[in-house]
């Protein structure tokens, strides 16, 4: 079955760079149409899509955060990494990674449990 | 930051039908599929509806989705206590070239 799990620091300081890793199983990021996305949710607030990387290394970013985000994949390790630069307290949120297939036509059908990242000095 | 607008809350008694609206624009709902996600307290979101009105395996047929123009709706019939959760609509936005989520609706079972 498909599983995803996020990992990374729980606390980062303002201006630092956040690096999150999504480790998955049950699918391959070399399969046509498959992708992994990142979505975050500040405490008590709505979901916000951040980035998505497809099997062919096509990358999409949220326009409002594009300058701060980088998404990469390591197909051999079954991992997707998201980096976000210049972290600010407003970036405090639970960060989720999620699976898509058929280029997302079927939605984010599998999600990780999420990891809470707090930005504070 | 959400470009899809939902009512903040909805409620009903057990057995009732509850409908949640999702308002967008021609660049998102008007030209792309709509998805709905259910987020139970303290858990990750779960895909409830894809391609406007399709249910993934395991989702009860009490949940149904529809779309008309630049708006979409999620209906929950035969409301149950375990349906108490936050619900989010989502769609691809051609202008933003990215996914957009709704503002979220908290459903309370009275």
């Amino acid at each position: 079955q498909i599983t995803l799990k996020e990992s990374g620091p729980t606390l980062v300081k303002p201006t630092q760079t956040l690096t999150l890793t999504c480790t998955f199983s049950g699918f391959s990021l070399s399969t046509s149409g498959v992708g992994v996305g990142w979505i975050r949710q500040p405490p008590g607030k709505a979901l916000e899509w951040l980035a998505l990387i497809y099997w062919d290394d096509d990358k999409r970013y949220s326009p409002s955060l594009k300058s701060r985000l980088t998404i990469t994949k390591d197909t051999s390790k079954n991992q997707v990494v998201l980096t976000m630069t210049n972290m600010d307290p407003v970036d405090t949120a639970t960060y989720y990674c999620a699976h898509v297939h058929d280029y997302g036509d079927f939605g984010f059908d599998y999600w990780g449990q999420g990891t809470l990242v707090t930005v504070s000095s | 930051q959400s470009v899809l607008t939902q009512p903040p809350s909805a409620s009903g008694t057990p057995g009732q039908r509850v409908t949640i609206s999702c308002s967008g624009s021609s660049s998102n709902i008007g030209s792309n599929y709509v998805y709905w996600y259910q987020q139970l307290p303290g858990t990750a979101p779960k895909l409830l509806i894809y391609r406007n009105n399709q249910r993934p395996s395991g989702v009860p047929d009490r949940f149904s989705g529809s779309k008309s123009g630049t708006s979409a709706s999620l209906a929950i019939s035969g409301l149950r206590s375990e349906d108490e959760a936050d619900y989010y609509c989502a769609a691809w936005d051609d202008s933003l070239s990215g996914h957009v989520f709704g503002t979220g609706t908290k459903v309370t079972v009275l």
Side-chain angles (χ1 to χ4, degrees):
Chain A
Q1 80 278 22
I2 290 176
T3 64
L4 304 97
K5 188 172 184 179
E6 307 85 354
S7 59
T10 57
L11 179 66
V12 296
K13 290 181 167 51
T15 75
Q16 285 187 335
T17 294
L18 170 69
T19 299
L20 294 173
T21 301
C22 176
T23 303
F24 57 84
S25 63
F27 68 94
S28 172
L29 248 184
S30 60
T31 301
S32 178
V34 171
V36 172
W38 286 93
I39 302 100
R40 71 178 179 179
Q41 183 175 39
K45 296 189 177 181
L47 300 168
E48 179 185 18
W49 173 75
L50 301 177
L52 181 59
I53 188 167
Y54 289 107
W55 68 288
D56 56 359
D57 213 37
D58 182 15
K59 302 169 186 177
R60 306 297 175 98
Y61 295 101
S62 165
S64 62
L65 293 167
K66 186 173 184 176
S67 64
R68 299 173 53 204
L69 296 174
T70 302
I71 189 169
T72 59
K73 64 180 176 68
D74 186 329
T75 305
S76 64
K77 291 184 178 180
N78 281 354
Q79 291 181 333
V80 170
V81 175
L82 180 76
T83 61
M84 180 180 290
T85 61
N86 195 24
M87 293 292 285
D88 183 273
V90 299
D91 296 313
T92 294
T94 296
Y95 288 75
Y96 298 98
C97 62
H99 165 273
V100 299
H101 68 282
D102 278 281
Y103 293 96
D105 264 6
F106 292 82
F108 292 103
D109 53 358
Y110 293 90
W111 294 63
Q113 64 189 27
T115 185
L116 175 61
V117 177
T118 301
V119 184
S120 174
S121 54
Chain B
Q1 289 171 331
S2 302
V3 300
L4 303 181
T5 302
Q6 301 176 233
S9 63
S11 62
T13 57
Q16 277 191 328
R17 175 183 171 94
V18 169
T19 302
I20 301 167
S21 62
C22 175
S23 177
S25 67
S26 58
S27 65
N28 42 65
I29 292 177
S31 52
N32 294 293
Y33 291 127
V34 177
Y35 307 87
W36 289 91
Y37 298 89
Q38 177 194 58
Q39 187 175 32
L40 297 170
T43 69
K46 167 191 169 185
L47 180 65
L48 207 59
I49 297 287
Y50 65 94
R51 286 188 169 185
N52 304 331
N53 54 20
Q54 302 299 301
R55 285 185 306 277
S57 174
V59 173
D61 58 8
R62 303 185 294 104
F63 295 92
S64 62
S66 63
K67 178 182 120 171
S68 178
T70 59
S71 294
S73 293
L74 173 72
I76 310 173
S77 59
L79 193 64
R80 302 176 67 160
S81 58
E82 58 259 41
D83 299 332
E84 198 160 274
D86 293 323
Y87 293 83
Y88 294 92
C89 58
W92 179 264
D93 190 294
D94 292 330
S95 296
L96 298 175
S97 290
H99 291 274
V100 289
F101 283 93
T103 50
T105 298
K106 182 176 183 61
V107 168
T108 301
V109 181
L110 302 170

